[in-house]
Amino acid sequence: MAFQVTLRFIVVICFTFLVQVSLAEHNIRQCADPTQAAHILCQKDIKDGAKFLQIIKEVVDCPESGINTYPITCILVTNQLGDDGGDAEIVSGGIGYTSVEISMTSKLSKGLDYHMEIYTAQE
């Protein structure tokens, strides 16, 4: 009886994890008005090779240094690996803020390959 309960619990946990993983986004496309993307604040390629049975996580801040006084108007983070790549999410800041922190996480035993562009309306 205890084995059946444990097995059911493991199945529920695995299903919940798979649903959460499938709901995550590979790319970030937040740009309500492309005409407001006049100045590129950050442009970066994030690459990290695959590691066997490991998940790779990279966190990028924009701006990396210094102070930005203009609100961010567009955030474009593209996963170059497509469905084989991982997921990207905004951790803090974003559209309307003066900075953004983006976390990129690979799939198990896969690498990271993202292209990131962050824009403001003014220089």
Side-chain angles (χ1 to χ4, degrees):
M1 181 71 166
F3 175 74
Q4 288 178 336
V5 171
T6 303
L7 184 60
R8 286 182 185 155
F9 178 74
I10 291 171
V11 169
V12 168
I13 295 297
C14 289
F15 178 75
T16 303
F17 174 75
L18 290 174
V19 167
Q20 288 176 345
V21 167
S22 68
L23 293 176
E25 293 292 328
H26 298 298
N27 301 308
I28 298 173
R29 297 251 182 272
Q30 293 185 3
C31 193
D33 184 1
T35 64
Q36 293 297 311
H39 173 70
I40 190 153
L41 180 63
C42 301
Q43 183 173 8
K44 185 173 185 176
D45 289 314
I46 298 95
K47 295 184 181 201
D48 202 345
K51 295 182 179 147
F52 183 67
L53 294 179
Q54 292 185 28
I55 293 174
I56 300 165
K57 186 170 184 173
E58 187 84 28
V59 178
V60 177
D61 292 314
C62 178
E64 292 184 68
S65 62
I67 297 172
N68 169 42
T69 56
Y70 299 109
I72 293 171
T73 56
C74 287
I75 301 172
L76 305 172
V77 181
T78 305
N79 183 342
Q80 309 286 32
L81 298 175
D83 287 340
D84 268 352
D87 300 307
E89 69 176 324
I90 295 173
V91 178
S92 66
I95 301 292
Y97 291 87
T98 56
S99 65
V100 64
E101 182 179 44
I102 298 173
S103 173
M104 289 149 279
T105 307
S106 74
K107 288 184 178 179
L108 185 65
S109 297
K110 301 288 183 179
L112 291 176
D113 188 357
Y114 281 91
H115 179 74
M116 178 180 87
E117 295 177 4
I118 312 295
Y119 294 89
T120 63
Q122 302 166 332
E123 265 187 73

